[in-house]
Each structure stands twice: as C-alpha cells, then as structure tokens.
Amino acid sequence: MRLPTALLCLVALASAHAVDNGHTLRGYTSADSITETGWEQKFRALPDRDRIRENMKRLSAQPHHVGSPYDKNNAEWLLAQLKSYGLDAQIETFSALFPTPQSRILELLGPAPFTASLQEPPISVDPTSSQTSEQLPTYNAYSRDGDVTGRLVYVNYGRPEDYEVLDRAGISVKGMIVIARYGMSWRGIKPKVAAEHGAIGCILYSDPRDDGYFRGDSYPDGPMRPAEGVQRGSVMDMPIYPGDPQTPGVGAVPGVKLIPLDKVQTITKIPVLPISYADATPFLKSLGGQTVPDDWRGGLPFTYHFGPSKVEAHLALKFNWDRKPLYDVIARIPGAKYPDEWIIRGNHHDAWVNGADDPLSGTSAELEEARSLGQLLKDGWRPDRTIIYCFWDGEEPALLGSTEWAETHAEELKTHAVAYFNSDSNARGYFRAEGSHSLENFVNDVAKDITDPETGMSVWQRVRLVDIAHATPKERAEIRSRPDLRIPALGSGSDYTVFIDHLGVASVNLGYSGEDQGSGQYHSVYDDFYYYTHFADTTFDYERALAQTAGTMVMRMADADILPFQFSDLADTVHLYDTQLKALAEDMREQAKERDREIDEGVYKALYDPKKLMVPPPAEDIPPYLNFAPLDQASDDLTDAARAFDNAFAAADGKAPEGINPDLVRSERLLTDPAGLPGRPWFEHLLYAPGMYTGYGVKTIPGVREAIEQKQWTEADTQIVRVSAALEHEAELLRQAARLFPAKSAK
Ligand SMILES: [Zn+2]
C-alpha cells in the first residue's frame, strides 16, 4: 500500500526539523547522525496497519502449535514473505521433546460424583473457536504421566508462602491432590512446590477473580475469560534450563545425543492439569475444614475452605512423549561495514491454539518491520552491521526454537552478537521495555523518537507521566530528576532468555500494554482474530508503533559509529541492587529475632483460637552478618569506570577509536560466568535470572539474593565474592576502553 502524498510531506518536514534541532544521536558523528535520522524517519513512515492486520488474519486462521500442519505452513509462508521483501531468508529446523495428551481424566468420587468436561466449547460469533479437530486439548505441557487418587486441599496460588499459611493452620498436603488458582507466580512453580510438600497431584484453575467476570464482562460480550475457558501452558521447570529437555546446553540437531526421558530433570514430579472454573466448582465446593483468609478467596459465589475434602478426586493423565520438528525462520541483512557484528531481532510464531494476541500481535508487527527494512534496502539504505530477523517456533512449550538455535550457534553468537531485541504479545497502551542496563539509555533515546498514536506525545513522555501518576512520592522525585527512566531487569517468559541468561548477549524485551482490559483469553481457544479485532488493539495503531519502535532500535544499533552502550545507568542499577540485598539480609535478621522473641513471650499461644488447630512457627537461628565489602567496592569501582568511559564517549563526538566496538560487544559477556548459578549451570548471567521459585519473575544478583532467601549464609558470602569479581572485570574493561579514546576527550 502506498502512503498518501500529504503524509510523505509531513515526514519530510519532520526530518528537516530534527536536523535543524541539531539533535545528534548518541554514538554517531554529526554527519552520520543526520543521515541516520533521515533513514529512520523514512522507515517509521512505512509500517502499515492494514498489512499487520492481514498478517495476523493469515497466521491465526488455524491452530498452529508445535508439530501441527499449520505451524509448518506458517513458517513456510513467513519465509515466502521475507523472500518477497528481497531478504535472504531460510528455515532452520530442529527437533524437541513436546508431549501432547493421549488421555485426561479428572473426576470427583463419592456420593455426588462429577467428571470434568475439559472442553472449551465453540462460541457462535467466533468463527475459529469451532476448529475443534485441530485444537490442542487443554493441558499443561511437561506434566508427567500419572494416575492418582486422593483428597483435595486448596493452596491459593500455590506459592511457598501459601504453604506457610497451611502449616500454621495445621494442614498438610502430604498424599493429597492440591488445587491451586492461576496467577501471582509462574504456573510451573505451583506443581513444583506442591511436590516438594508431598502432594501427589496438582489441579490448576482460572478463578474469575483473577481473569474472569470479577474483572469485566466475559467473552464474547467482553474480553474476560468465560466459565469454560482454560489456560494451557508449560509447567516445565524452566528455572533449571529451558529448551529441549533432552539436550540441555547443546542444539537439538540431527545426531545429537539425547538424555533418556527418565533422566530429564525438568519434567514435573507429579501430574498436573489445568481446568476452567466451571469444572473447578464441584471440586472447590467439596472442600471442608476452616474458612480461608480474605486474600485466599476467589470470585466464585460460595465460601472457600482449605480442605481437606471428605471425598476423593481421581486424576489420570497419559501423554504422547514425541519429539516434534521446530521451524525457525531466519532472515539476514548483511552489514556493509562491520558484517561480523550482529544485531538480532525476534518474536515467536507458534501458539497454543490460534494465538492472535499471543504471539501474533508481536509476530505480525515484526513481519511488517522486516518488509519496511526491505523497502529501505531497495531505496539504497545499507546497514553498517549485520541484522538478523528471527521468527521462532516452539516458544510456548519451553522457549524451544530460540534456545535450540542459540545453543547451536553459541560460539558464533558469543563472538558476534551485539544485542538482541525481543517482543511477544502486544496491545494498546504504554511503552514498556525491560533489559540490560547498559542499554537503558539507548532504550530511553529511541522511545523519545516514537510518537504515541493516541496522545501525539512521544511514547517516552507518555510512559514517564503515567509512571509519575502511579509512583510513591520518593519514586516521583527520582523520575523527575533522573535523565533516564529506569527499565526493569529481565526475568524469563519469552525468547530473550537464552540470549541474556545463557550467552550474555545484551537484550531488550519491548512492547505496548496497559489500556486493554486484560488477558482473559490467554492460552485459550478464544485468543483468536475475532477476539483481537473486537477487544484488543482493534485499530492496529500499537502494532504499528511496535514495528516502528523495534525497527528503530535495530537500525540505530546497526548503524552507530560507536555502539551506544552507556554504563552509568548500569553502575547506578548495581548500586541499587547492592543496597537492596543489604536491606533484605537486615530484614530477615530482624524478622527472625522478632519471631523468636514472640515465641518466647507466648504471643502465638495468646493469639490462637483453641477451637481451631493452629501451629506456631518454628524458632529460627538468627541470620549471621554477611560480608558485603567486596560488592560495595566493586559497585564503587564500576561507578568510577563507567563515569570515565561515558565522559570519554561523550567527548569523542561519535568518532570511533580502533578496537572500541569489539570491547563494547564483550561488555555484557563479562557479567556471565561459565560455571553458572548454584544448582543451575545453564544460567550464566550473574546479575539477572528468573527466580527458582518465581519462574518468570526476575531475581537480580540471583546467586546472592536466592542464597539469602533460602537462608544459605555461607553460600551467600561465596556468591558475593563471585559477582564482585565479575563487576571488577567489567570496570577494568571500561577503564581500558576509555583509554582508547584520544587523550583530549578523556577528561
Ligand atoms: Zn508468547
């Protein structure tokens, strides 16, 4: 589709304006900045909302999970599109273990027996909801097989702290089947913690309080989850390692040695099945015992009890443990000046069912981004660095496609990869990015150049104001005084994981969200084109904004004279983490002291209702003082080195000294250690990791933080030394790099 002439004039004016402004891009000489700004503005005029809508319609026309005919069909279509844009593209094929259901039974026994339907019925206004023969049944991937019968206990969200509440109430889940609601922690953590407490089975359900009628109208009248909607999803123990469970750390290519199934660590220890709240209701109603506390209550119209139930439930699951092909679609634009420095961009294309929102709202925009870059190439643009566009398969089960690709190409990536930019589901609302803090300033700079479709202000200005509205007084003061908005660290939950956590490639995950009502169709058959075009970003304005934002990041990183990393933000963040860790250790010491004192005083005896069974918490040893000195020192040294580097960088006016860019490419790598984190060597980054008990949620300086949380004090001291050494290496690199700049600029 051609742009109307009037719009082209506006683009030309905007371009002239930016140049007049003398706004020089960081890492660019002033001449190169003018050229780059011109190309970026041409680029941002190209993404077309109707094309993105058509991409989504095509890709979501049928269910396209891993191993399905339409998953392969989509990969081939993506390949043909990329080639038609003039890009050099290919499909890279891997294989991975991907279990699918053979049989699923969940029933309540006793005098009023009930059998769960485990079905999501078609809805007449929603055309693709009736493609029942192609739909993957409702299940949790990487649940083990099992046939168990036992009484039920309700465990709220199934987090470790929920079991402390059960302990206090004198309820054990040993030998029981637990029923947990979705939300508040990653789903894979729920069966893991249940098994650690001795449960024999786990049922997950979607409570209407969390994503159903309690929040808004149910589908198809509104966007929230209907009574029979079910959240599929993986329950693999991904905090140990993601990717193919049978090939940790290496690419799943033909001939690779497979770990036997019974030796795989990441499959659940007990069977687990997700159900709707329609199916969950009889099970929840069967629970006896004490009434639950307020914050355990869901939105269903009856009283919630802890259990155990008087009657037993029967859960029987059997899976086909097959290996399935993965089709990653990869397009390469060779760099004209620095072909060995790679900028990587990715979004997955597989879904649980039709997946219009997750992932196609991101995929469809990424494809339009690639088309727009293809157009720029025809117009004469040549990126300085190599750009790689990736459309990953198998993200939903376990980040399979991205992990196997990156493990296969690990050695090349460690040498060549500059940065990885990821997106996934996208919606209407505010710009959000999380990632490596050496890219915090870069992300802020790009966001200042993207126009928010609804307000006309920059997306940076909008999110800054929204953050001010939601901040505490202390946070507000910081937002107003700090030049860059902080970006959160990366946990897990999408394809950036292998890049940042395993390989140490600086990464950013970005997207728009916050204005649509919620994710009530998440991982159900109703996440489809009808849903998205009625209840999500119906105008596709924010899909275009995503393409504009991610594409600008890719171009600006690819063309920079000096890679625009900035380290004062990183040093500031490390200082913050150091402060938080000390506060955490101090809090735990105070809490343990207080608890022991209250036990001595008889507080629990006074508090507990003798008619209810209640158990006081056990007395605890008081945590010892940890030695944070090495971390304090490393944090200070990093701050000084970062300041020296950023000053030298600023004085260089974009003129790159010999050897500077290869040093910058190494900067994130130095924050990793090939020995990995305690108990999970695949995770090599020492600043960021998904938590062992949060799953998607990030733990920063994870070796230290998790040792403190798990009360492993000696380990905490060891890990402080380790992360401090890595930070000292980073500081040394920055001092060296600062010296590469001509002396006059290193002031
Ligand atoms: Zn996704």
Side-chain angles (χ1 to χ4, degrees):
M1 178 170 290
R2 281 190 62 88
L3 286 162
T5 323
L7 191 52
L8 282 174
C9 291
L10 280 178
V11 170
L13 279 175
S15 172
H17 179 71
V19 174
D20 285 348
N21 251 351
H23 162 65
T24 304
L25 301 176
R26 193 165 179 282
Y28 284 77
T29 63
S30 26
D32 289 347
S33 181
I34 291 167
T35 314
E36 174 69 13
T37 303
W39 282 120
E40 285 185 7
Q41 282 171 349
K42 275 204 179 92
F43 164 77
R44 287 198 289 275
L46 291 169
D48 178 75
R49 291 172 300 184
D50 292 337
R51 281 178 183 270
I52 300 174
R53 185 187 167 97
E54 287 308 306
N55 291 346
M56 181 186 284
K57 192 171 182 184
R58 160 62 178 81
L59 291 163
S60 68
Q62 288 182 48
H64 53 105
H65 52 271
V66 171
S68 67
Y70 206 66
D71 177 67
K72 183 171 188 226
N73 185 304
N74 270 348
E76 285 163 353
W77 183 79
L78 286 166
L79 177 69
Q81 295 306 111
L82 292 164
K83 285 185 170 168
S84 78
Y85 308 152
L87 303 182
D88 171 21
Q90 51 163 324
I91 291 180
E92 286 191 52
T93 308
F94 302 93
S95 75
L97 180 72
F98 179 54
T100 52
Q102 200 179 87
S103 62
R104 301 163 301 149
I105 297 166
L106 174 63
E107 49 194 359
L108 190 64
L109 309 174
F114 170 79
T115 304
S117 82
L118 312 179
Q119 301 287 339
E120 295 185 289
I123 289 177
S124 59
V125 295
D126 176 345
T128 60
S129 69
S130 62
Q131 296 168 333
T132 46
S133 59
E134 291 93 9
Q135 291 163 356
L136 204 48
T138 54
Y139 80 117
N140 287 131
Y142 307 100
S143 158
R144 65 174 301 147
D145 290 344
D147 187 332
V148 293
T149 301
R151 295 196 292 157
L152 287 162
V153 174
Y154 175 59
V155 296
N156 197 22
Y157 293 109
R159 299 160 297 182
E161 59 265 40
D162 293 320
Y163 289 86
E164 284 174 26
V165 174
L166 288 167
D167 285 347
R168 248 8 54 82
I171 297 164
S172 162
V173 302
K174 210 167 226 141
M176 310 270 178
I177 296 174
V178 301
I179 180 162
R181 52 174 164 157
Y182 268 124
M184 300 304 281
S185 73
W186 179 57
R187 76 179 82 71
I189 300 303
K190 300 168 195 274
K192 172 173 164 170
V193 177
E196 287 173 1
H197 285 82
I200 55 170
C202 178
I203 304 167
L204 304 178
Y205 82 102
S206 299
D207 196 286
R209 182 165 194 134
D210 299 303
D211 67 359
Y213 60 74
F214 196 87
R215 301 240 171 257
D217 290 323
S218 302
Y219 196 63
D221 300 325
M224 301 318 292
R225 197 179 297 275
E228 283 143 321
V230 181
Q231 182 189 138
R232 289 162 190 72
S234 177
V235 286
M236 197 170 110
D237 199 354
M238 279 189 264
I240 304 290
Y241 63 88
D244 175 22
Q246 294 186 281
T247 63
V250 292
V253 294
V256 70
K257 198 163 171 286
L258 301 180
I259 295 181
L261 262 185
D262 59 352
K263 295 276 182 318
V264 170
Q265 273 186 318
T266 53
I267 295 167
T268 63
K269 305 287 184 282
I270 55 175
V272 47
L273 184 70
I275 60 175
S276 66
Y277 73 77
D279 271 345
T281 296
F283 295 89
L284 290 167
K285 280 185 160 175
S286 78
L287 296 167
Q290 297 172 42
T291 305
V292 299
D294 275 1
D295 55 353
W296 280 49
R297 266 181 218 158
L300 290 165
F302 49 80
T303 307
Y304 286 60
H305 297 93
F306 285 126
S309 59
K310 288 198 182 65
V311 293
E312 291 187 316
H314 173 221
L315 172 66
L317 303 175
K318 218 170 159 30
F319 299 97
N320 303 305
W321 292 92
D322 297 332
R323 294 185 66 80
K324 293 280 166 67
L326 304 168
Y327 303 100
D328 289 340
V329 189
I330 313 285
R332 240 170 235 268
I333 305 173
K337 218 164 154 186
Y338 310 111
D340 289 338
E341 292 177 10
W342 301 352
I343 315 301
I344 307 164
R345 164 82 176 102
N347 195 110
H348 69 103
H349 69 76
D350 69 298
W352 279 115
V353 195
N354 300 76
D357 176 34
D358 183 6
L360 298 176
S361 53
T363 327
S364 306
E366 190 199 11
L367 186 62
E368 182 60 358
E369 210 179 295
R371 185 190 71 83
S372 304
L373 291 185
Q375 183 59 50
L376 283 198
L377 289 168
K378 287 177 192 143
D379 295 345
W381 172 68
R382 290 287 171 274
D384 284 356
R385 295 184 177 79
T386 296
I387 295 173
I388 305 176
Y389 265 73
C390 310
F391 296 83
W392 307 117
D393 199 355
E395 187 271 356
E396 292 297 353
L399 318 176
L400 298 171
S402 55
T403 304
E404 297 315 313
W405 185 83
E407 287 177 345
T408 301
H409 300 289
E411 288 318 307
E412 299 159 83
L413 288 167
K414 279 183 193 166
T415 314
H416 302 302
V418 174
Y420 175 68
F421 297 104
N422 189 73
S423 59
D424 202 319
S425 304
N426 191 64
R428 240 159 37 84
Y430 320 119
F431 172 67
R432 294 289 172 203
E434 44 196 9
S436 299
H437 290 89
S438 53
L439 292 176
E440 184 170 274
N441 175 264
F442 174 77
V443 167
N444 273 266
D445 272 1
V446 170
K448 285 172 187 168
D449 288 341
I450 310 297
T451 306
D452 177 62
E454 286 172 349
T455 62
M457 57 177 79
S458 78
V459 300
W460 182 85
Q461 203 179 354
R462 189 174 186 201
V463 71
R464 182 173 176 274
L465 295 172
V466 168
D467 284 353
I468 286 173
H470 295 138
T472 62
K474 199 178 154 212
E475 290 164 346
R476 269 201 296 276
E478 186 188 77
I479 295 168
R480 288 182 173 131
S481 64
R482 197 173 186 269
D484 289 329
L485 296 172
R486 287 190 185 279
I487 59 172
L490 286 168
S492 186
S494 195
D495 292 302
Y496 49 79
T497 308
V498 69
F499 292 96
I500 182 77
D501 292 331
H502 187 58
L503 298 177
V505 175
S507 300
V508 173
N509 185 45
L510 71 147
Y512 291 84
S513 63
E515 283 188 314
D516 293 318
Q517 204 174 0
S519 51
Q521 308 316 324
Y522 180 60
H523 291 182
S524 80
V525 298
Y526 312 117
D527 174 4
D528 58 17
F529 191 67
Y530 181 88
Y531 162 74
Y532 201 86
T533 51
H534 286 79
F535 299 109
D537 184 14
T538 57
T539 59
F540 286 78
D541 277 319
Y542 283 90
E543 275 47 62
R544 181 173 62 177
L546 174 63
Q548 291 170 327
T549 316
T552 301
M553 286 187 186
V554 166
M555 290 177 73
R556 196 170 293 181
M557 191 57 81
D559 291 337
D561 296 296
I562 314 176
L563 287 169
F565 288 89
Q566 191 260 32
F567 297 92
S568 296
D569 284 345
L570 173 69
D572 178 43
T573 306
V574 166
H575 178 76
L576 183 72
Y577 293 164
D578 181 22
T579 312
Q580 288 170 351
L581 287 173
K582 284 188 274 197
L584 174 66
E586 188 55 35
D587 277 359
M588 288 185 65
R589 190 160 36 246
E590 288 309 313
Q591 274 173 24
K593 277 186 196 162
E594 178 63 24
R595 177 183 285 199
D596 289 359
R597 185 170 177 177
E598 288 179 13
I599 292 170
D600 280 352
E601 288 172 337
V603 167
Y604 293 94
K605 234 179 244 159
L607 186 69
Y608 285 175
D609 177 348
K611 289 190 176 167
K612 289 181 186 163
L613 176 63
M614 294 190 111
V615 184
E620 274 184 33
D621 292 339
I622 308 298
Y625 284 91
L626 299 174
N627 180 13
F628 281 101
L631 189 53
D632 292 342
Q633 185 67 54
S635 172
D636 279 4
D637 291 346
L638 184 65
T639 302
D640 291 346
R643 191 182 303 121
F645 176 84
D646 290 344
N647 287 343
F649 189 117
D653 286 326
K655 283 188 272 309
E658 181 78 24
I660 190 76
N661 287 322
D663 271 359
L664 291 170
V665 172
R666 286 201 307 133
S667 64
E668 191 83 15
R669 240 72 97 216
L670 288 185
L671 301 171
T672 65
D673 182 332
L677 294 175
R680 41 180 182 152
W682 189 91
F683 284 89
E684 297 187 11
H685 208 293
L686 298 179
L687 292 190
Y688 319 118
M692 282 295 273
Y693 289 93
T694 53
Y696 283 174
V698 66
K699 293 287 175 182
T700 53
I701 312 198
V704 180
R705 192 178 296 265
E706 291 195 320
I708 296 174
E709 288 171 349
Q710 310 297 321
K711 302 172 186 168
Q712 295 162 347
W713 311 113
T714 320
E715 179 73 47
D717 270 332
T718 309
Q719 296 299 324
I720 288 173
V721 172
R722 231 173 131 217
V723 69
S724 306
L727 293 169
E728 295 289 6
H729 288 143
E730 183 81 353
E732 180 53 32
L733 177 86
L734 295 182
R735 282 192 291 268
Q736 271 177 33
R739 288 197 287 268
L740 293 177
F741 290 97
K744 71 169 176 62
S745 59
K747 45 191 160 192

Short mmCIF file of all heavy atoms in Angstrom, two decimals, residues 348 358-359 395-396 424-425 493-494 523, ligand 1:
data_model
loop_
_atom_site.label_atom_id
_atom_site.label_comp_id
_atom_site.label_asym_id
_atom_site.label_seq_id
_atom_site.Cartn_x
_atom_site.Cartn_y
_atom_site.Cartn_z
N HIS A 348 8.24 -14.96 18.60
CA HIS A 348 7.87 -16.33 18.20
C HIS A 348 6.65 -16.34 17.30
O HIS A 348 5.89 -15.37 17.26
CB HIS A 348 7.72 -17.25 19.40
CG HIS A 348 6.57 -17.03 20.32
ND1 HIS A 348 5.44 -17.82 20.31
CD2 HIS A 348 6.36 -16.15 21.33
CE1 HIS A 348 4.60 -17.43 21.28
NE2 HIS A 348 5.14 -16.42 21.90
N ASP A 358 -1.27 -13.76 21.56
CA ASP A 358 -0.01 -14.41 21.93
C ASP A 358 0.30 -15.52 20.94
O ASP A 358 -0.30 -16.59 21.03
CB ASP A 358 -0.11 -14.97 23.35
CG ASP A 358 1.19 -15.58 23.83
OD1 ASP A 358 2.20 -15.48 23.12
OD2 ASP A 358 1.18 -16.17 24.93
N PRO A 359 1.19 -15.30 19.98
CA PRO A 359 2.16 -14.21 19.86
C PRO A 359 1.93 -13.28 18.67
O PRO A 359 2.75 -12.42 18.41
CB PRO A 359 3.44 -14.98 19.56
CG PRO A 359 2.98 -16.03 18.57
CD PRO A 359 1.57 -16.40 19.04
N GLU A 395 8.07 -21.49 21.18
CA GLU A 395 8.29 -20.69 22.39
C GLU A 395 7.38 -21.16 23.50
O GLU A 395 7.79 -21.25 24.67
CB GLU A 395 8.02 -19.20 22.10
CG GLU A 395 8.39 -18.26 23.25
CD GLU A 395 7.28 -17.99 24.26
OE1 GLU A 395 6.13 -18.48 24.06
OE2 GLU A 395 7.53 -17.32 25.26
N GLU A 396 6.12 -21.45 23.15
CA GLU A 396 5.12 -21.74 24.20
C GLU A 396 5.48 -22.93 25.07
O GLU A 396 5.41 -22.83 26.30
CB GLU A 396 3.73 -21.92 23.58
CG GLU A 396 3.14 -20.63 22.99
CD GLU A 396 2.89 -19.52 24.03
OE1 GLU A 396 3.06 -19.79 25.23
OE2 GLU A 396 2.53 -18.41 23.61
N ASP A 424 6.76 -9.96 22.05
CA ASP A 424 5.84 -11.09 22.13
C ASP A 424 4.46 -10.45 22.04
O ASP A 424 4.30 -9.48 21.29
CB ASP A 424 6.11 -11.85 23.45
CG ASP A 424 5.62 -13.30 23.42
OD1 ASP A 424 4.53 -13.54 22.90
OD2 ASP A 424 6.33 -14.18 23.94
N SER A 425 3.48 -10.87 22.82
CA SER A 425 2.15 -10.25 22.74
C SER A 425 2.23 -8.74 22.87
O SER A 425 3.04 -8.23 23.65
CB SER A 425 1.29 -10.75 23.90
OG SER A 425 1.23 -12.14 23.88
N GLY A 493 10.22 -15.95 30.38
CA GLY A 493 8.86 -15.93 29.86
C GLY A 493 8.79 -15.60 28.39
O GLY A 493 7.70 -15.57 27.83
N SER A 494 9.92 -15.35 27.76
CA SER A 494 9.91 -15.23 26.30
C SER A 494 11.32 -15.51 25.78
O SER A 494 12.23 -15.87 26.55
CB SER A 494 9.38 -13.87 25.86
OG SER A 494 9.07 -13.91 24.46
N HIS A 523 -3.85 -18.09 26.32
CA HIS A 523 -3.61 -19.52 26.12
C HIS A 523 -4.89 -20.36 25.99
O HIS A 523 -4.89 -21.54 26.33
CB HIS A 523 -2.71 -20.09 27.21
CG HIS A 523 -1.30 -19.58 27.13
ND1 HIS A 523 -0.31 -19.97 27.99
CD2 HIS A 523 -0.71 -18.69 26.29
CE1 HIS A 523 0.83 -19.36 27.68
NE2 HIS A 523 0.61 -18.57 26.66
ZN ZN B 1 4.14 -15.59 23.57
#
